[in-house]
Amino acid sequence: MPLPVPATTTTTTLLVIAKAPLPGRVKTRLTPPFTPHEAARLAEAALVDSLHAVAATPARRRVLVLDGAPGPWLPADFEVVPQCTGGLDERLAAAFAGCSGPALLIGMDTPQVTPDLLTVDFADCDACFGPADDGGFWALGLADPDPRLLRGVPMSTPTTGAVQRARLVAAGLRVRDLPRLRDVDTAADALAVADAAPHGRFAAELARLGAVAGR
């Protein structure tokens, strides 16, 4: 009898959940010191870096789960599906519900993400969890996507990550922790993330806006 094939990245769906980078709708905590237009430019740069990292990672499918309309920033070979209505927990749950096999989901707030970080293997775990410095999480991977694992988890709180990880453990899943990353929410976050990934579009856009010079 043949052995089962491990669920490696090449059999995994990579999901990016994001908002279209429009002024006044994204990165509002960057305003001030940035204007809404500048915050949207930083959001677009962060999204582009994230999408390019996903594009460079072997995967079965690459899906952008989008609130809004795609723009010229979208690389080729991505499926685009609209976000459902409801809270963030419902939108994340719906994103996983559209997957028929292993899936790894990230957001648009960690432009320092790399293909190496996204190369996951579910051979010896049921879930991958990437904690964020603000208490949330930047990545969640499920070998067997079950929307019930996300519904009801309080989002955007200092304990979101702890509650979500505890939900996975309580379901009997073997959880592998990914490296901790910092989300871009504030101007201080933006500077730190640009320092961590100085060659990306996000860092270049931040430098162009004069933030690195001490704005």
Side-chain angles (χ1 to χ4, degrees), residues 29 88 92 109-110 129-139 153-166 177 179-185 189:
R29 290 175 62 187
L88 181 56
L92 296 178
D109 298 334
T110 50
F129 182 79
D133 281 353
D134 64 0
F137 57 92
W138 67 268
V153 173
M155 296 290 165
S156 303
T157 78
T159 61
T160 292
V163 173
Q164 181 62 76
R165 193 183 187 286
D177 290 312
R180 182 180 297 272
L181 294 184
R182 185 168 182 168
D183 285 342
V184 175
D185 291 320
D189 295 331

Side-chain angles (χ1 to χ4, degrees), residues 60-138:
R60 184 168 64 91
R61 296 170 62 207
R62 298 177 185 86
V63 182
L64 174 62
V65 186
L66 184 63
D67 177 0
W73 38 262
L74 181 65
D77 300 325
F78 273 80
E79 303 171 41
V80 179
V81 299
Q83 290 186 28
C84 72
T85 58
L88 181 56
D89 62 319
E90 290 289 343
R91 287 178 277 144
L92 296 178
F96 278 108
C99 301
S100 59
L104 177 72
L105 179 144
I106 66 169
M108 60 183 287
D109 298 334
T110 50
Q112 71 273 45
V113 73
T114 65
D116 283 346
L117 288 171
L118 299 176
T119 302
V120 298
D121 187 343
F122 292 101
D124 60 356
C125 69
D126 307 302
C128 293
F129 182 79
D133 281 353
D134 64 0
F137 57 92
W138 67 268

Side-chain angles (χ1 to χ4, degrees), residues 19-53:
K19 289 183 179 180
L22 300 177
R25 295 196 68 245
V26 291
K27 294 296 163 211
T28 55
R29 290 175 62 187
L30 292 177
T31 306
F34 301 100
T35 68
H37 180 76
E38 291 170 338
R41 291 185 65 92
L42 288 170
E44 179 176 327
L47 178 56
V48 167
D49 282 343
S50 301
L51 292 173
H52 284 180

